[in-house]
Amino acid sequence: MWKFLKEMPKVELHAHLNGSLNTNSLRDLAEKVYGNTSEEFSHLCARFVNFEKDSNLDKCFEKFAFVHELTSTAAGLQYATELVIRDFANDNIQYLELRTTPKANKNYLRRDYLRIVLDTIKRSRKKYPNILVKLLPSINRSEPVAVAEETVALALELAKTDPDLVVGIDLSGIPTKGKFTDFCGVLDLARREGLKLVIHCAEIDNPPEIKEMLSFGMSRCGHGTYLTEEDFAQMKAANIPIECCLTSNVKSGSVSSFEEHHLKRLMESDAPRVVCTDDSGVFDTSLTNEFLLVVETFNVTRDQCIDLTLEAVKHSFASEQERQQMALKVEHYVNSLQTD
Ligand SMILES: CNc1ncnc2c1ncn2[C@@H]1O[C@H](COP(=O)(O)O)[C@@H](O)[C@H]1O
Ligand SMILES: [Zn+2]
């Protein structure tokens, strides 16, 4: 089963750049860009993927600071982007929608940040021709609305020159921080200008905010952990898929066990859903591994794994032609198995 899942040409729709650097890549990054091969750093890397039993979302968010240090220079950010693309390509991801929060510091401005990531995506095409990568700039909800406005303005600017690469806007960050309604204006502007919206929604139990988000609308829903049966029905009626990230939800303590994961209900009610990693580095996973968890926890068959992949193709923000090509790759894979 592992081989079947590993070789399946998968589609990753929910991955944060700085959360997708695994320990090996972090070590590569520290060594190549900063010349750091110290044992102390190796210990920090080991601690990075280690989760206590009583872990929670706050503890997860503390971990991002560690990676952000390493990507706080232009060279670090550039190499990190390349490593993340390499790691997804090595996991046979044929299509990746990468999200990242543009940051500003003494080394780069938010515009530079997005340019570096975008240019690295473009350059990686030669080295990793089997993976198609799109970019979704993220709004961090714990930052001021003015930052969100700058992020959307930059995304729109880049979408003009690279419409096939910059396809949407993500709303993420610590779910207890910021007020969703403060961001509605800027999110609506992005949407009116043609960007798709992916929103981290119902990652914590906040019924008024969930209501606001659902009535505002989105193209895909990140997590949806605390959606009620009624909310799930509403999402299904609107054909909005839930991005299910099993390891992320369990390790961050928002879902108590894999068995309890809402993916089960979504499959039973035949509601739109996609399997994703969220932060494959922080949560020490891969899309192959997430599929294996789905198979082992819910007795999902190979055919259902193929269907889940085709569903991700359908809900991706790729062009019609790109989606056809992706589906064809999956079809070829299925055919190759039959002739084995
Ligand atoms: C665990 N569930 C989650 N919920 C909400 N936001 C999350 C997240 N996982 C990641 N992020 C958001 O993505 C950033 C890291 O990638 P970038 O620096 O943007 O590339 C985090 O700092 C957080 O803002
Ligand atoms: Zn996420």
Side-chain angles (χ1 to χ4, degrees):
M1 188 50 104
W2 174 264
K3 186 171 181 286
F4 164 78
L5 295 172
K6 173 92 185 176
E7 290 175 2
M8 182 167 70
K10 295 171 286 297
V11 168
E12 171 65 81
L13 300 183
H14 186 144
H16 300 268
L17 173 59
N18 281 275
S20 300
L21 282 154
N22 60 39
T23 33
N24 284 336
S25 294
L26 286 171
R27 280 198 199 104
D28 267 11
L29 180 60
E31 191 179 330
K32 291 232 174 69
V33 179
Y34 305 99
N36 183 352
T37 53
S38 70
E39 214 164 281
E40 190 197 347
F41 185 78
S42 284
H43 283 311
L44 286 174
C45 284
R47 265 205 358 234
F48 173 71
V49 293
N50 194 11
F51 276 80
E52 311 288 323
K53 279 241 148 17
D54 62 338
S55 187
N56 56 36
L57 268 175
D58 289 340
K59 289 191 183 151
C60 297
F61 280 100
E62 286 167 16
K63 292 183 183 262
F64 292 116
F66 176 62
V67 192
H68 286 153
E69 279 284 314
L70 291 170
T71 55
S72 64
T73 63
L77 177 63
Q78 184 189 317
Y79 193 48
T81 307
E82 194 186 321
L83 289 173
V84 164
I85 294 172
R86 176 196 73 180
D87 291 342
F88 278 111
N90 286 342
D91 194 34
N92 281 315
I93 307 300
Q94 61 157 321
Y95 176 84
L96 165 66
E97 282 180 18
L98 197 58
R99 342 172 155 200
T100 194
T101 321
K103 296 160 192 77
N105 60 31
K106 64 179 188 329
N107 298 314
Y108 47 61
L109 303 171
R110 289 192 182 84
R111 175 181 275 110
D112 307 326
Y113 182 102
L114 287 178
R115 268 261 148 251
I116 291 166
V117 175
L118 201 61
D119 289 345
T120 310
I121 290 175
K122 286 186 193 172
R123 259 186 296 103
S124 299
R125 278 186 195 146
K126 259 209 186 117
K127 206 163 173 186
Y128 306 104
N130 294 330
I131 182 167
L132 179 63
V133 184
K134 308 267 177 186
L135 177 65
L136 288 83
S138 297
I139 292 173
N140 182 347
R141 56 180 292 161
S142 53
E143 289 185 313
V145 176
V147 173
E149 285 167 350
E150 187 187 342
T151 299
V152 167
L154 290 169
L156 291 172
E157 184 185 308
L158 294 173
K160 282 216 172 71
T161 50
D162 291 288
D164 55 329
L165 286 184
V166 182
V167 289
I169 287 282
D170 163 53
L171 179 74
S172 53
I174 302 175
T176 50
K177 298 269 168 74
K179 207 163 137 236
F180 173 67
T181 46
D182 290 346
F183 295 96
C184 286
V186 68
L187 288 170
D188 195 44
L189 169 72
R191 182 161 58 185
R192 277 186 281 117
E193 294 291 327
L195 293 174
K196 305 279 190 197
L197 296 184
V198 284
I199 296 187
H200 281 65
C201 167
E203 203 176 358
I204 57 168
D205 194 13
N206 180 352
E209 181 180 274
I210 294 172
K211 228 184 165 92
E212 284 155 11
M213 287 181 167
L214 262 56
S215 77
F216 180 79
M218 61 197 85
S219 290
R220 294 196 310 256
C221 167
H223 302 299
T225 316
Y226 286 91
L227 294 177
T228 62
E229 289 306 321
E230 216 174 278
D231 298 333
F232 278 131
Q234 190 181 332
M235 295 301 232
K236 185 182 172 187
N239 193 27
I240 299 169
I242 312 293
E243 298 162 346
C244 294
C245 314
L246 275 76
T247 301
S248 161
N249 293 158
V250 170
K251 283 198 175 171
S252 66
S254 53
V255 170
S256 54
S257 68
F258 294 126
E259 291 75 18
E260 300 290 311
H261 198 278
H262 43 292
L263 174 60
K264 184 170 185 234
R265 272 181 292 160
L266 292 166
M267 289 196 295
E268 280 166 359
S269 61
D270 201 22
R273 70 268 150 162
V274 286
V275 176
C276 313
T277 55
D278 203 15
D279 299 291
S280 53
V282 172
F283 298 118
D284 193 18
T285 188
S286 64
L287 196 52
T288 297
N289 190 50
E290 293 302 296
F291 267 99
L292 191 66
L293 281 171
V294 171
V295 165
E296 287 177 346
T297 313
F298 304 119
N299 288 321
V300 161
T301 64
R302 287 180 178 212
D303 283 353
Q304 285 173 303
C305 291
I306 294 289
D307 288 346
L308 279 167
T309 300
L310 289 172
E311 192 167 356
V313 169
K314 196 174 77 189
H315 291 292
S316 74
F317 302 149
S319 70
E320 185 55 42
Q321 199 193 359
E322 288 166 338
R323 277 185 273 153
Q324 277 174 14
Q325 280 167 358
M326 286 190 250
L328 212 58
K329 268 199 188 174
V330 178
E331 199 185 308
H332 284 163
Y333 180 60
V334 173
N335 290 340
S336 76
L337 295 171
Q338 278 153 4
T339 54
D340 263 356

